Amino acid sequence: MNLDQISRPGRVAADGEAISAEELALAARNHGIPLEALRYDLTPPGLHYLLIHYDIPLTDDAAWQLSIGGQVARPLTLTMADLRARPASTVRVTMECAGNGRARLHPRPVSQPWLVEAVGTAEWTGVPLRDLLADAGADPGAADVVFTGADHGIERGVEQDYQRSLSLADATAPEVLVAYAMNGQPLPPQHGHPVRLVAPGWYGMAHVKWLRDVTVTAAPFTGYQNAVAYRLRQQPGDDGDPVTRIRPRALLVPPGFPDFMSRARVVDAGEHLLEGRAWSGQAPLVSVEVSADGGDTWARAELEPDTGHRWAWRRFTHRWAAAPGRHQLTARAHDATGAAQPLGQDWNRGGFANNAVQLVDVWCR
């Protein structure tokens, strides 16, 4: 059988092309956070965004083993009991899909049709990866650490286990976890039960679920998910730049109440407390601005104090005096690198790292 018959190259939608049945099937499997759930400091697992490349494997906690090998002095095979017996760490992390916002681009890259909801924040508990690599005697001169999940499928004609890598330096950052709990409970099946990688600050493709193998390599990893997928390309065949850390973003909780189909909002005239969440995986946030006229004018929002959760979103608020008529609300985040969200977006073929501002249509009566 020729796998190309069922797994085609990536493409960009033709001008005016509607969302396809294949994209709708992906959207039925993969869901975003309802924007009103941005009110939670921690996203309940069932509301946290979800992207599953292949199938959710059926896993057995009691029989699961994690192997650590490659360029190491002492290869390890760890059970879940072994992992839970080790000193644990908990990190609050905002995780965002690299394709968040893809469906808003023109022309539209054909893939999971995210709007702006592919995000969530959870507290992940597990063992710092650097402790495991130290116990295994990872070669300090190694290039990469490769993570293999138990999910298997075909993508763009390539049959594969889902694999991603981090450089050894990135993999041994203190916040990177081999995690077995989410918000204090065992991982749900869809979030990687029984164990997954959590790489704070990185887009979601780096957080390998159903983790079964960690391999330290002498050379940079050139597997599909690093070298072919998740690249910022303008033209087919370009090498492109890799997708890495999360760019700054702010999202508003839409005020008032919605129309069922359009999701346009209705509010009464008067003062409203707007609220939302902002984050960046590149650097700490420094400010958030809010606009009620689609970005023509901006007002500084009140950003809640940093509580020490470097890798998690922060709440912001702004008091808005709504006058009768139509308004377009938006917010934009600024981080310590000087980066800010754009009003428009630099296009790329995969629709990755798209942090253009959210637009919320509001009718005030």
Side-chain angles (χ1 to χ4, degrees):
M1 175 183 174
N2 184 351
L3 296 181
D4 291 342
Q5 293 176 291
I6 64 170
S7 184
R8 295 178 293 277
R11 69 182 185 90
V12 174
D15 191 35
E17 179 182 344
I19 294 285
S20 66
E22 287 180 335
E23 290 171 288
L24 288 175
L26 285 175
R29 289 183 55 80
N30 304 305
H31 66 79
I33 187 174
L35 291 177
E36 61 271 26
L38 293 167
R39 296 187 179 100
Y40 293 101
D41 288 334
L42 294 180
T43 309
L47 299 181
H48 194 288
Y49 101 90
L50 193 65
L51 189 286
I52 300 166
H53 279 78
Y54 309 130
D55 283 352
I56 300 171
L58 182 63
T59 58
D60 180 356
D61 188 286
W64 196 264
Q65 292 185 330
L66 175 65
S67 298
I68 301 178
Q71 301 295 302
V72 300
R74 299 172 294 278
L76 301 177
T77 300
L78 301 165
T79 66
M80 294 306 301
D82 293 332
L83 289 171
R84 292 190 183 99
R86 288 171 168 264
S89 180
T90 297
V91 183
R92 185 175 296 189
V93 179
T94 294
M95 195 181 296
E96 182 179 6
C97 186
N100 201 14
R102 176 185 290 123
R104 302 169 67 204
L105 295 179
H106 182 79
R108 186 184 79 255
V110 175
S111 186
Q112 166 66 30
W114 293 122
L115 295 171
V116 295
E117 297 92 347
V119 68
T121 294
E123 284 188 341
W124 304 94
T125 299
V127 180
L129 176 63
R130 68 175 183 177
D131 293 352
L132 299 177
L133 293 175
D135 286 355
D139 181 354
D144 280 0
V145 183
V146 180
F147 307 95
T148 303
D151 46 333
H152 184 87
I154 307 167
E155 199 162 344
R156 310 306 185 202
V158 179
E159 184 176 354
Q160 59 190 283
D161 294 331
Y162 187 84
Q163 290 183 303
R164 281 280 305 186
S165 74
L166 295 171
S167 71
L168 181 63
D170 287 324
T172 52
E175 66 272 8
V176 177
L177 297 181
V178 172
Y180 48 75
M182 179 184 189
N183 292 353
Q185 299 296 320
L187 298 181
Q190 70 272 27
H191 286 289
H193 179 271
V195 65
R196 70 176 297 168
L197 186 72
V198 173
W202 287 72
Y203 281 111
M205 77 283 163
H207 303 244
V208 177
K209 297 189 285 287
W210 312 291
L211 184 64
R212 61 177 179 80
D213 187 81
V214 176
T215 303
V216 181
T217 62
F221 178 62
T222 57
Y224 179 90
Q225 299 295 340
N226 275 66
V228 180
Y230 296 105
R231 311 287 295 192
L232 302 173
R233 295 185 177 91
Q234 295 300 310
Q235 300 294 333
D238 289 351
D239 288 339
D241 294 321
V243 178
T244 57
R245 292 188 175 270
I246 298 171
R247 294 176 177 176
R249 188 189 289 277
L251 290 179
L252 286 160
V253 175
F257 59 88
D259 172 68
F260 173 70
M261 284 296 296
S262 70
R263 309 310 293 179
R265 313 298 295 191
V266 178
V267 300
D268 291 323
E271 187 174 86
H272 295 268
L273 181 66
L274 302 178
E275 64 174 313
R277 302 282 175 169
W279 62 93
S280 173
Q282 299 179 153
L285 293 172
V286 293
S287 66
V288 176
E289 297 174 289
V290 173
S291 173
D293 52 19
D296 289 340
T297 61
W298 295 90
R300 194 176 182 100
E302 184 73 23
L303 185 60
E304 288 197 343
D306 183 352
T307 57
H309 297 295
R310 160 65 188 94
W311 305 108
W313 59 27
R314 290 167 63 185
R315 183 172 181 261
F316 64 88
T317 57
H318 177 71
R319 294 196 175 275
W320 172 47
R326 181 175 180 240
H327 306 271
Q328 194 169 63
L329 302 182
T330 188
R332 65 182 178 191
H334 302 251
D335 71 21
T337 69
Q341 288 181 259
L343 298 183
Q345 180 61 49
D346 292 334
W347 183 88
N348 65 84
R349 287 186 61 85
F352 296 127
N354 171 9
N355 66 331
V357 297
Q358 170 197 24
L359 299 171
V360 182
D361 286 325
V362 179
W363 295 86
C364 179
R365 62 186 182 182

